[in-house]
Amino acid sequence: MRSFESLFVTQVEEAIPCISTKEIDKRKDQHFIKWLKNQVDYDDPDYPIWLHELVQGPLAKTTTSPM
């Protein structure tokens, strides 16, 4: 995951020269997950299964109600 984070930071720094560390952290909080989903193609066998599962999120949603 660190390599993806480093790639994200590099792209942000190239797009916005002289950006502060605080602003980079803010952009990571706001945009990293969506960016990561765009980087990891679901059909790409080069990525491990756990990474695909992490990016895709949970497969099911459980809803409970009082009885």
Side-chain angles (χ1 to χ4, degrees):
M1 290 304 295
R2 294 250 186 240
S3 61
F4 283 108
E5 182 182 5
S6 295
L7 182 58
F8 177 81
V9 169
T10 299
Q11 289 181 1
V12 169
E13 289 173 335
E14 288 174 356
I16 308 169
C18 299
I19 189 169
S20 69
T21 303
K22 184 177 178 180
E23 187 64 29
I24 289 172
D25 290 340
K26 183 178 174 183
R27 287 185 176 272
K28 276 194 285 188
D29 290 342
Q30 294 173 340
H31 304 290
F32 181 71
I33 298 300
K34 186 175 181 178
W35 176 88
L36 182 61
K37 287 182 179 183
N38 289 328
Q39 296 299 309
V40 179
D41 183 16
Y42 188 73
D43 296 326
D44 190 340
D46 291 337
Y47 296 115
I49 292 172
W50 66 265
L51 184 58
H52 288 284
E53 292 172 351
L54 178 69
V55 169
Q56 296 302 314
L59 296 176
K61 182 178 179 181
T62 304
T63 305
T64 61
S65 61
M67 297 184 88

